Structure formats: structure tokens, C-alpha cells
Amino acid sequence: MSGYWSRLHDPLALVAALVAPFLVALALVPFRSDLSATNEALIMVVAVVAVAALGTRAAGALAALSAAAWFDFFLTRPYQQFTIDSGDEIQTAVLLLAVGLIVSQLAARARRLRAVAVTDAAHLSSLEGTARLAEDGGSSSAVVEYVRQELVGLLGLRGCRFEYGTLMGHLPRLEHDGSLWLRRGSRITEYAEWPEGETELRAVGGGHYYGRFLLDPYPGRPLPPEEARLVAVALAAQAGVALDSTSLPHQA
């Protein structure tokens, strides 16, 4: 359901950007003789802010343009025409457009910063949870299991399993810098989306390889944001440190 909504969100925001200012301007028609142009413009800005707060930067900008156009059409003389006779009303319309564009961008930026803050808090919680489990004396297998579960949610995977010991086969690898590569001899392939099959994320502690998390993604989907991939690498490193502390057999 969330994926379905995310696909619809942008088109719906663009529709709202066109429709909301139109409806607000239409609602103001019975009161246009009683309200000043400035007050009408301020009410139109509210519609722009509402769209920008819920939609994208593009939707906010489109709402500002739509607000200026319908302000001209419904609320300035001559009515029902895209022309303005009064110099003061021309100035008000231009200011409406400028303020709408600025406010819409500020609202979109504020929404993005809120999303980043929530995401960063979730990432920090994952790292703290792994460290706390290790500090409280949790077994290395418990740390590995905790990391495995965190990776599923963090990277949006279908599943994930941990494989101890010797490396088998050639799988795409999530590297320490968050990039995803497949190395076959001298040939190197970099991915911008999840490949078919499993992807490995190695657990190394004290310079020793102990195993790997085998990520089972939804093939063809874009890779998660770089921040999420770097957190995944850090989680695998914490699992490697926990495994190293138990003196398990390792591969050089």
C-alpha cells in the first residue's frame, strides 16, 4: 500500500497544485468587492503553502503560478480575463507569484529536513542497538541476528541470511563506501539498482573475515539512499567486531 501511495503522490500533488488555488479563488469571488487585493493575495498564498507542505517542490512552484493566474482571472478587473487594468493590482499579482514561489520552496525544504531528521534518528537507533547488545554481553550470534533483522528494514529487502566461513561463488558486493560492485576477473560491474539474486555484505573484525550477510533484495529496484547503505556497512562491521571477540575461526 505504501508503494502504491508513493507512486500516486507526485501526480496527486500536481493536480492539487492546479485545483486548490482555482477553488480558493472561486470561493473568494462573492467577497471580492469587500476584500482588498492584498488580503485576497494573502489568502491565495495560504493555498500555495498547503500544497507545498504536502507535495513536492515542483507542485509548490506550480501552485504559485496557478494562484497568480486565478487571482488575475477571478479577483482583478476586468473579471474573467487574464488582464489587469490597475497598476497596484499588477504589483500585487507579481508579489503573489514571488511570495508563493519562495514560500513553496521553503515549505518543501522544511519537509525534506524533517524527513532527513527522522531517517537519521532511525539509523542512529540501529547502530546504538547493536552496540548496546554487544556491551550488555550479548553473544556474537545474537548480534549477528540483530544486524540481520535491521538490514531487512534498513535496505528494504525481501530477506537476509548470514553465512559463516568460506566465500563461495562470485556475488555482487556492497562495499565499505556504499557502492555495489560485481568483480569477475578483470571485469568490474557497478550497479545503480539491485541485481538479480543475492548480494553479499561482508562481516570483518580485527582484519579477519568471519562471514557475510546475503542480502535478498527486490530485483530491479533502485538502491537505497547512500546514507542507508553506509549504515548497513557499519552494522556489518559491528557484527564483525562481535564475531572477532569470540575467537571464532576466520578466513585470512
Side-chain angles (χ1 to χ4, degrees), residues 147-195:
V147 170
R148 185 193 68 79
Q149 294 178 9
E150 289 295 306
L151 290 175
V152 172
L154 177 66
L155 301 177
L157 306 174
R158 288 188 298 193
C160 177
R161 62 190 178 92
F162 188 76
E163 180 181 79
Y164 289 90
T166 306
L167 291 166
M168 297 292 290
H170 297 279
L171 296 177
R173 184 193 308 173
L174 186 58
E175 301 284 1
H176 68 279
D177 61 354
S179 59
L180 184 59
W181 300 85
L182 174 62
R183 290 176 170 81
R184 289 183 181 273
S186 60
R187 182 182 177 185
I188 299 177
T189 304
E190 183 177 10
Y191 296 93
E193 60 183 32
W194 288 115

Side-chain angles (χ1 to χ4, degrees), residues 114-125:
R114 286 197 300 271
V116 169
V118 170
T119 301
D120 286 348
H123 291 170
L124 181 59
S125 176

Side-chain angles (χ1 to χ4, degrees), residues 129-144:
T130 310
R132 191 180 307 112
L133 183 60
E135 290 173 358
D136 291 344
S139 65
S140 60
S141 60
V143 173
V144 167

